[in-house]
Amino acid sequence: MAEEKAENFFGQDAVVTRGSLTPTEVVLCPLCDQPPVEFAVDYQGFHLCQCSNCGLQFQNPRLTFDELADKIYTEDYCPGHEESSSTTAFSRQIKTFEELIGRKGSVLDVGCGNGSFLQFAKEHGWETFGADIRLSPETSRLTCPLWEGRLPEIDFGGATFDVIRFNHVLEHLQNPLIELARCRELLNQGGLVFVGVPNLAGISPRIKNLQSKLGLKKKQWRHYAAMHHLYFFTPETLRAMVERAGFVLRYWETPVDKEYKEPGGGIYRRMVERTRTGSILDFYITPR
Ligand SMILES: [Zn+2]
């Protein structure tokens, strides 16, 4: 690693128009093979597009993987999730894994970050494995097998897993279909894939969409996090993506982990969960 600290582009205005980041990779809709229609440019200069056939939203053009790896996914990359405060999410996910496969088992965490999920899963009786495009220094405390690289390129030496977990990973991938297809080869019989992504159809993102469209936000479309998010999913488009990759949706939810302290907050949280309009979209899928 270079000694010099890389510039952090999070939250900075107009990084594209200023030339600090250069989206050059032109893409078609991965589901329909057709060019998308642009609907907005965010405050950093990234172009937000939608496929007029299937409705999938994605960036076009976008940063190449090499530019993302060099400038964004640096050693101090910390997107703010997978902290120790996520234990509510961890225990909910593990409980659902156990309900769906009927026992504890082995889990490969793709995009394992600082390893806090792996640590938690191990403490709860799971056999753990991790992979990331760049292993964070914090993962050195882990004793489980870890691999560095992109999932389709990693040689797992014949290892297979009961659960493969993509927690806030799929929206970062250049080609989610290839990664999901690779999972089919890495899953044990009866195995499960977990995919958690931001839910663009949630109440809060819908309000922010409207505010951005009306120019009411200082940093328009910031909630898309387009700098490092290449795809933006709703329940419908994520379902189309996983089905195209050969999976069946077994269970999904939009959990709300935030504890609302205000009066009525608990009712609001339960209402959002019941109507599945939360800001996080969790899918549990199995091979068809
Ligand atoms: Zn499409």
Side-chain angles (χ1 to χ4, degrees):
M1 285 306 296
E3 287 301 308
E4 201 179 312
K5 222 175 181 168
E7 190 181 355
N8 187 330
F9 297 109
F10 282 91
Q12 282 191 32
D13 291 321
V15 285
V16 170
T17 47
R18 223 175 49 221
S20 313
L21 297 172
T22 319
T24 54
E25 196 166 83
V26 174
V27 282
L28 303 174
C29 173
L31 300 177
C32 309
D33 240 5
Q34 70 175 41
V37 178
E38 183 179 300
F39 63 88
V41 178
D42 81 354
Y43 73 104
Q44 293 191 298
F46 292 103
H47 293 246
L48 310 179
C49 300
Q50 181 165 34
C51 174
S52 53
N53 189 48
C54 71
L56 178 66
Q57 294 189 356
F58 52 100
Q59 259 196 81
N60 180 51
R62 66 190 183 192
L63 299 176
T64 61
F65 174 74
D66 288 341
E67 190 166 6
L68 283 163
D70 284 353
K71 297 183 180 171
I72 311 296
Y73 303 132
T74 52
E75 217 166 53
D76 60 349
Y77 175 73
C78 184
H81 54 259
E82 300 285 86
E83 302 305 318
S84 49
S85 61
S86 304
T87 51
T88 318
F90 295 165
S91 64
R92 180 184 56 249
Q93 289 165 12
I94 284 182
K95 185 167 161 275
T96 313
F97 297 164
E98 292 174 7
E99 280 167 12
L100 290 172
I101 70 169
R103 56 180 169 79
K104 293 182 192 294
S106 57
V107 58
L108 170 67
D109 193 25
V110 180
C112 61
N114 64 18
S116 54
F117 172 79
L118 290 171
Q119 192 72 35
F120 186 92
K122 191 182 173 198
E123 286 162 11
H124 288 76
W126 279 70
E127 194 185 353
T128 52
F129 302 85
D132 214 323
I133 56 162
R134 175 175 292 165
L135 289 171
S136 118
E138 287 106 319
T139 56
S140 61
R141 71 193 152 100
L142 302 174
T143 51
C144 68
L146 298 168
W147 292 273
E148 196 166 66
R150 293 205 267 181
L151 189 67
E153 290 145 20
I154 295 173
D155 177 3
F156 288 95
T160 54
F161 314 94
D162 294 316
V163 174
I164 301 177
R165 176 178 183 263
F166 290 85
N167 195 48
H168 293 271
V169 168
L170 213 71
E171 69 273 22
H172 296 259
L173 302 176
Q174 311 294 119
N175 196 330
L177 283 176
I178 291 177
E179 309 252 346
L180 288 170
R182 174 80 168 117
C183 289
R184 293 173 57 94
E185 305 164 356
L186 295 171
L187 272 186
N188 290 334
Q189 190 74 28
L192 178 79
V193 174
F194 168 80
V195 176
V197 297
N199 178 21
L200 258 296
I203 290 181
S204 166
R206 277 175 191 269
I207 292 170
K208 290 173 185 161
N209 282 355
L210 189 62
Q211 290 170 327
S212 294
K213 263 181 214 151
L214 298 175
L216 300 175
K217 287 195 85 75
K218 216 155 84 194
K219 293 184 184 291
Q220 288 181 30
W221 306 99
R222 184 180 190 166
H223 58 295
Y224 270 63
M227 188 177 70
H228 56 148
H229 290 182
L230 309 183
Y231 294 93
F232 318 104
F233 295 104
T234 64
E236 290 71 31
T237 57
L238 183 59
R239 184 173 191 146
M241 177 76 78
V242 302
E243 286 180 349
R244 176 65 65 85
F247 287 86
V248 177
L249 179 57
R250 292 278 303 279
Y251 174 70
W252 71 280
E253 61 185 353
T254 70
V256 181
D257 290 330
K258 187 180 166 192
E259 285 298 333
Y260 291 92
K261 298 275 192 292
E262 304 82 359
I267 295 170
Y268 174 76
R269 184 165 59 83
R270 283 194 294 279
M271 188 273 288
V272 167
E273 287 189 330
R274 200 162 302 151
T275 55
R276 300 206 274 201
T277 49
S279 305
I280 291 172
L281 182 57
D282 283 354
F283 267 33
Y284 298 81
I285 61 177
T286 53
R288 188 166 51 231

